[in-house]
Amino acid sequence: MNPTTDTQTVPRRPDYFKWTAALVGAMAFVAVWRPQLLTGAVQTVSEFFYLKFDWLIMWLPLLAFAVGMAVALSPRWGNIRLGGADATPDFSFAAWMNMLFTAGIGVGIVFFGPIEALWHYFHSPIGVQATHLPAHQQVANAMSLALHVWGIPAWSLYMIAGLVMAYFTYQHRTECTPAAPIEYAFRRKKWAKPAGILITGLAVLSIAMSVSSSIAMAAAQIASGLKIISGSAVFDGTLWKTAVLAVLAALYIGGSVLPIEKGMRFLGNWTVYLSVLLLVFIFLVGPTHYFVSTMTVAIGNILTQTVHHSFELYLFHKRDWIVWYPMAYWVWWVTWAPFVGVFLAKISRGRTLREFVLASVLVPAGFIVIWFSVFSGFSLLDTLEGTGKLAEIAEKGDYEGTFYHLLNMLPLNDATKPLTVVLFLGFIVTTVTSAAISLGIMTGRDGRSESKTRAVVWGVLMTLIAYAVVVTGEIKGIKAVGSFAGFPFVLVMYLWFAALWRQLRQDTKS
């Protein structure tokens, strides 16, 4: 199917950059002036929404997966090529996957890798609290929950955002923004245009908040790594974390002014290469047979437990766990969906809808299975049959240091720890670079073109908000800031489903 050639009169686009930058700038000012005020207020509001709207949030990723698979497996829709029947991909498959992966996950897999399953093991209702279950089942449940949070459901949210924006951008020449699909598909509805303006503003706010929390995570983890490597406690203070934050800002702001084919492709490729190198090394020098067994059990649980986890709200159990683990993550992924979707659309011209859906879900989710089976799996093994040190460190709140302590238990840690610091740098720089580029596109004059100036401004504002999280440093604050502006986008997701389905049916009528 070729893109439409209709030439509708397009009204002048609102100046999103001025008012959204002013709004985020005000939040950045509060972040620097009173960081505890910002993170405390955000945490309180977030917890209210998690508790009241859990029923609306929990099954959203499963629905996104179902919609994407329906498109991919459809004989009519799966073969549609983004940009027209003659369009060719702008990037090789490997480069495309590398950019997609580093934009969509970033530093989170390294930060949470060794501790994610531990949280579910110690705090979930089906971990050690389920005393009627044998130990091996409690461990399997913990890993199953970890992969449910980080695997196929998370990538389904990214996939559907990218699919919707790419389809309307290339097939109908709309703006490459979260609002454009809704404005186009429902263009005869009076509410579509006002809703589009609101959605764009909320998207900018959600991106700025969620990416800021990831910047803060990276700053804390890099500072922790420098402390452990050097043996000096000087890196433990807020001053050094702030200095690390400044260095990070210089790197990702510099990356955002480069063209995508030069900046993001280079950064994405090398970040993935380093992560694979570290993963393979630990897989080989660690308990390899145990890792393979953990992956096997994990894949089985994904196939059999995904639907169950998607509808389980644990109504008569401790609610703190479900609020700050599955629920906070889901909304965090939703807050990332607008910028990941814009970025995926920009790099996916020439791909068929079937290729887009299957590759953007199964390839990164497969990597996640291996990554968490190795790192979270190692932590679980140490907890049950080893020293228990990793669990002790994590329970004390030294989340950012857990990864380095895990490396200390394995050979050649003098080399792997500095490599991990570089890996943190690569992941966060690629993530924030793609976010700044996406924000520049969304707040631009035409909603399609990149802007170096706007990208720099957004990079600076996100850094200032990240400062508040660095100062407060609580894991709940990180998650709350990361997901705060995502609640309205839970509803936007449902509108995306409707817009895509409606337009595909109209475009393929025989």
Side-chain angles (χ1 to χ4, degrees), residues 387-405:
T387 65
K389 183 177 180 180
L390 295 178
E392 181 184 349
I393 293 169
E395 286 296 296
K396 287 181 178 178
D398 185 16
Y399 306 115
E400 61 269 15
T402 309
F403 199 99
Y404 300 103
H405 289 294

Side-chain angles (χ1 to χ4, degrees), residues 185-199:
F186 300 102
R187 57 192 176 277
R188 293 183 178 87
K189 306 293 184 180
K190 292 182 179 180
W191 54 264
K193 188 62 181 178
I197 295 173
L198 178 62
I199 288 168

Side-chain angles (χ1 to χ4, degrees), residues 448-471:
R448 298 174 64 92
S449 305
E450 300 167 47
S451 167
K452 297 178 181 179
T453 302
R454 290 191 296 271
V456 169
V457 171
W458 288 119
V460 171
L461 293 177
M462 287 187 289
T463 303
L464 294 176
I465 296 176
Y467 172 78
V469 188
V470 167
V471 170

